[in-house]
Amino acid sequence: MQAVAVGSETREHDRELAELHRLGDRDAFAEVYREHAEAVYNLALRLSGDPFDAADLTQEVFLRVFRHLGGFRGGSSLRTWIYRVALNHCRSRLARRRPPARSLDDPDEPAACELADPSPGPEATALAEDAARRVAAALARLPLVFREAVVLRDLEGLAYEEIADVLGTRVGTVRSRIARGRDRLRREIEKEDVS
């Protein structure tokens, strides 16, 4: 019962922020940005595989959010609405440019060193870096529909219902895409292990 109350409070807060933004309150948008920018960047990074593209995509997404936030009516949570905007924009932008997917473990990219937790010892760090590199590379090879579903569920932590709302599909389709995506991800990692 408590979760329903929190959900309704969150939705009311979301609608209030949208209304304040519509009325010209700059602090309302700043709050929306603070609450959601990191999640949008992470989603863009996981879909594009490039930190620079992810930063550009994040800026573009929030430009769209800024333009359309006043029209947000609260049919879903603001978080879900922003994920939908971000996912649609990433799809559109990434479909136009189709260069070969770059792996997150590119040694020339500074983000590659940041994937592992630096607190364990050198051996554990090396193993964690290798595992992160393999997963990131395998994830980059997944078809976009599976990559989106797996990223939203396993890396972003969205519920099945939220993912269905973001993707504009049914929960059963989401479950199927996640299961198929995880299976393909496992096979991609195993394929790399054999090589």
Side-chain angles (χ1 to χ4, degrees):
M1 204 64 167
Q2 185 71 354
V4 173
V6 172
S8 63
E9 287 176 14
T10 299
R11 287 207 176 160
E12 184 58 37
H13 176 69
D14 292 348
R15 283 190 293 271
E16 183 180 310
L17 283 175
E19 180 62 17
L20 288 171
H21 173 73
R22 190 182 69 71
L23 295 173
D25 183 342
R26 293 198 183 276
D27 292 336
F29 179 75
E31 185 174 340
V32 169
Y33 183 82
R34 270 191 311 274
E35 290 176 5
H36 301 283
E38 185 177 353
V40 169
Y41 174 80
N42 288 334
L43 177 66
L45 177 62
R46 290 170 175 142
L47 293 176
S48 71
D50 181 271
F52 298 107
D53 282 346
D56 288 345
L57 287 165
T58 300
Q59 287 181 353
E60 293 165 2
V61 165
F62 277 99
L63 181 58
R64 287 174 182 249
V65 168
F66 183 84
R67 288 180 182 152
H68 301 287
L69 182 59
F72 174 74
R73 297 290 172 240
S76 64
S77 71
L78 187 58
R79 172 184 170 195
T80 301
W81 182 78
I82 290 173
Y83 267 110
R84 188 178 314 122
V85 171
L87 188 63
N88 288 338
H89 183 70
C90 288
R91 279 178 179 165
S92 171
R93 173 102 175 276
L94 295 173
R96 279 184 276 166
R97 105 177 138 82
R98 285 288 186 222
R102 288 180 41 199
S103 175
L104 292 177
D105 65 334
D106 185 346
D108 296 330
E109 293 296 327
C113 299
E114 298 170 17
L115 291 177
D117 181 4
S119 59
E123 184 177 340
T125 301
L127 291 172
E129 286 175 350
D130 183 55
R133 180 198 59 76
R134 291 179 331 154
V135 170
L139 190 59
R141 291 190 300 268
L142 288 183
L144 189 59
V145 293
F146 298 136
R147 187 176 346 144
E148 290 170 350
V150 169
V151 165
L152 289 172
R153 177 66 183 158
D154 295 335
L155 300 176
E156 298 299 324
L158 269 66
Y160 290 107
E161 294 77 16
E162 289 177 302
I163 297 168
D165 198 17
V166 169
L167 297 177
T169 189
R170 296 186 320 228
V171 173
T173 303
V174 168
R175 290 182 187 278
S176 172
R177 287 180 184 174
I178 290 169
R180 292 175 64 197
R182 286 173 178 165
D183 184 55
R184 286 183 104 162
L185 185 61
R186 179 186 49 75
R187 284 187 279 149
E188 286 290 333
I189 292 169
E190 287 173 353
K191 206 183 326 179
E192 190 175 307
D193 287 344
V194 172
S195 302

